[in-house]
């Protein structure tokens, strides 16, 4: 959970702390529970988009960039990258 290596929730936590000075919870589950739900039609850059994981609901999170794109740390061994929001997603949350 540092620039030397990210998981998805650690990445978005670090971005918010560094870019906005805002502390958000550490894990996808705690981020999902703590942040404000919004409809996908209201999503703006900086909102978080959540996905189910292979081990159950709320297993992945990305930082929404707008225009259907997000930046995320997609899986072990992958680089942090910009990519389209995956379908299906669980929902969006606002910090």
């Amino acid at each position: 959970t540092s620039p030397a290596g990210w998981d998805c929730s650690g990445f978005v936590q670090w971005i918010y702390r560094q870019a906005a000075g805002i502390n958000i919870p550490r894990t996808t589950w705690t981020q999902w529970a703590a942040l404000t739900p919004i409809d996908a039609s209201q999503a703006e850059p900086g909102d978080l988009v959540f996905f189910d994981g292979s081990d159950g609901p709320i297993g992945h999170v990305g930082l929404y960039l707008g225009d259907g794109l997000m930046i995320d740390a997609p899986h072990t061994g992958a680089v942090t990258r910009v990519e389209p929001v995956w379908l299906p997603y669980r929902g969006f949350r606002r910090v």
Side-chain angles (χ1 to χ4, degrees):
T1 59
S2 75
W6 301 114
D7 68 359
C8 59
S9 57
F11 174 67
V12 297
Q13 181 191 46
W14 187 83
I15 290 292
Y16 263 95
R17 186 172 42 239
Q18 296 301 312
I22 298 171
N23 289 318
I24 64 172
R26 165 66 187 85
T27 67
T28 55
W29 280 93
T30 56
Q31 290 169 354
W32 175 262
L35 302 178
T36 304
I38 59 167
D39 189 77
S41 66
Q42 298 172 318
E44 298 176 356
D47 291 332
L48 300 183
V49 56
F50 290 84
F51 306 87
D52 289 340
S54 59
D55 58 349
I58 317 305
H60 186 67
V61 61
L63 180 68
Y64 187 63
L65 299 175
D67 295 324
L69 298 174
M70 67 177 177
I71 185 168
D72 70 329
H75 56 79
T76 301
V79 297
T80 304
R81 61 186 176 208
V82 173
E83 59 186 335
V85 171
W86 309 335
L87 295 174
Y89 51 82
R90 171 62 71 150
F92 286 81
R93 295 287 196 261
R94 183 160 292 155
V95 174

